[in-house]
Amino acid sequence: MSTDHRHLLVIGIGAGDPDHLTLAALKAMRRADVFFLLGKGPEKSSLTDLRRRMLDEHARAPYRVVEADDPWRDRTPGGRSEYTAAVHDWRGRRADVYERLIRDELAPGRTGAFLVWGDPALYDSTLGVLSEIEARGTVAFDTEVVPGVSSVSALAARHRTTLNRVGRPVHITPARRLPEVGLDDDGDVVVMLDAQEAFTAVEGDDVWIYWGAYLGTPDELLVSGRLPDVAGRIQRLRAEARARHGWIMDTYLLRTVDGAVDDGSGPPGPAAAAAAAARSSARTPSLPDPARRAGEGEEEAVPVLRVADADAAVAWYRRLGFVKRWGHRFEPGLPAFVEIARGPVKLFLSEHAGDARPGTLVYLRVCDVDAVADEFGVPVTTAPWAREVELRDPDGNRLRVGTPAE
């Protein structure tokens, strides 16, 4: 057994929003000498890129970043014994990678760190893998765990609900065990790691779902409602998102509706829903919450605007309430194609010379044109059909923004 002593930090970094980093996580990151990052292939490179951006902003130099490929895992559907065997095999091979990184890349007396999505204690293998390495006795280290904001917490926060109702339990389960857990009147169920859309097998008109994917990221998707009403919509969104990104990570809360809910944790009745809608309308900001996602319709027309620098254009359109949903380049250095969205409104921004003419006019209908005028410092003009402002983006594209006349 080696007597070399190393210190490891397992740091929860939240569900995807860099603002989910806690003060404890920031302090821990500034103590680390080496950060270990495991890549999950080109289709998930954005996750590695986000970790690197966090380090660029918060880690204290000098530090090193050591990357390795995450071992392949057999995800062939099977029974519980086959699944357990596949997970143990994958964890063993992952432990081999971690052991090599710790032994070869972290000098005795130094501090290394693993940045873990969500919370290290909830459906993450890092602590289990490190325990396996400790049991081997090949390299000595101690471990410190920094909790993080889990996707479960982020889901409840984004839907403005609680995970449990008064005096009732909440059950957290992987999707493959959902048929065994079931739903009853005594508690609610949070489902994670759903690769097979297990919610489609849940029966009952009284089941409500709070669903979220890519929580905390610019690509976040949210749906809530009675499961029979929204299951098809969630399936379409999952298929579109998987086709766009090559992967999807979603979480959802299932609960049965059992009449009036007076603790703010469940779906409201008709009167409460109307009152909530009125309150929501009264406090809705003029520039929409960027986390409200589009992509809910089956058919739509999306204008394409020619831009010279997609990143600069995205920054300008952010002032108008748009957020970047995704972007694509065929190769590094080639023109970018980006989608941005403001609530249900989408625009494509293209650096490709043949996609659109410079100086295109787009009309944007909003609830409060005065807020837009204040943001850009332009006057509002009154026409018979609307109160309007006209803007030009950095590439000369014209945006006429108006609030319809009553």
Side-chain angles (χ1 to χ4, degrees), residues 24-35:
L26 295 179
K27 291 177 181 178
M29 289 169 65
R30 290 167 185 162
R31 291 162 47 201
D33 303 302
V34 181
F35 292 91

Side-chain angles (χ1 to χ4, degrees), residues 19-318:
D19 288 341
H20 285 173
L21 284 173
T22 65
L23 288 176
L26 295 179
K27 291 177 181 178
M29 289 169 65
R30 290 167 185 162
R31 291 162 47 201
D33 303 302
V34 181
F35 292 91
F36 301 115
L37 302 184
L38 260 64
K40 293 180 178 291
E43 70 278 5
K44 292 189 178 181
S45 60
S46 60
L47 298 178
T48 301
D49 293 342
L50 180 54
R51 283 185 173 113
R52 283 189 169 274
R53 288 197 295 273
M54 290 180 180
L55 294 179
D56 289 342
E57 184 171 355
H58 300 295
R60 180 171 294 161
Y63 63 86
R64 291 190 304 119
V65 176
V66 178
E67 294 193 47
D69 292 330
D70 199 11
W72 173 83
R73 175 177 163 185
D74 183 3
R75 298 183 182 273
T76 305
R80 186 183 301 181
S81 60
E82 291 85 358
Y83 172 84
T84 301
V87 171
H88 283 309
D89 173 70
W90 169 71
R91 280 197 175 189
R93 288 182 287 112
R94 193 180 232 202
D96 294 339
V97 174
Y98 279 24
E99 180 181 342
R100 175 179 58 80
L101 293 176
I102 297 167
R103 182 188 62 243
D104 297 345
E105 302 291 347
L106 185 63
R110 310 300 285 181
T111 299
F114 292 92
L115 303 182
V116 174
W117 294 114
D119 185 281
L122 185 62
Y123 285 105
D124 182 82
S125 68
T126 305
L127 294 178
V129 169
L130 293 178
S131 294
E132 180 171 335
I133 298 171
E134 284 188 287
R136 295 176 179 180
T138 54
V139 58
F141 58 84
D142 59 60
T143 305
E144 178 182 347
V145 181
V146 180
V149 177
S150 70
S151 61
V152 177
S153 297
L155 176 77
R158 294 298 296 122
H159 282 290
R160 292 178 292 181
T161 189
T162 59
L163 292 174
N164 65 287
R165 288 176 281 182
V166 172
R168 300 186 184 186
V170 60
H171 193 107
I172 302 177
T173 181
R176 63 185 180 82
R177 301 290 297 273
L178 181 59
E180 303 170 32
V181 174
L183 287 171
D184 56 43
D185 292 336
D186 190 45
D188 305 320
V189 178
V190 173
V191 181
M192 305 180 70
L193 310 175
D194 190 355
Q196 306 297 327
E197 299 181 343
F199 59 85
T200 59
V202 177
E203 298 180 350
D205 294 335
D206 59 346
V207 178
W208 196 277
I209 186 171
Y210 298 88
W211 176 84
Y214 311 106
L215 288 161
T217 75
D219 299 303
E220 181 180 90
L221 297 166
L222 297 171
V223 175
S224 66
R226 292 183 187 275
L227 184 56
D229 299 333
V230 301
R233 177 176 159 205
I234 293 173
Q235 288 180 287
R236 289 194 299 273
L237 287 175
R238 290 182 96 256
E240 292 169 4
R242 187 183 291 278
R244 181 180 303 123
H245 300 289
W247 61 281
I248 188 168
M249 184 67 73
D250 57 350
T251 306
Y252 52 90
L253 167 67
L254 296 171
R255 76 171 27 126
T256 55
V257 182
D258 56 356
V261 178
D262 59 5
D263 59 3
S265 61
R279 290 195 301 271
S280 175
S281 175
R283 64 172 179 261
T284 298
S286 301
L287 299 182
D289 177 357
R292 298 179 191 172
R293 302 296 170 207
E296 300 172 5
E298 294 183 2
E299 298 179 356
E300 58 190 343
V302 182
V304 180
L305 299 181
R306 175 80 168 87
V307 299
D309 184 333
D311 290 337
V314 168
W316 186 87
Y317 277 91
R318 191 176 296 120

Side-chain angles (χ1 to χ4, degrees), residues 302-306 326 337-340 346-350:
V302 182
V304 180
L305 299 181
R306 175 80 168 87
W326 58 270
F337 191 92
V338 172
E339 179 183 313
I340 59 175
K346 296 179 183 176
L347 293 174
F348 289 144
L349 306 178
S350 177

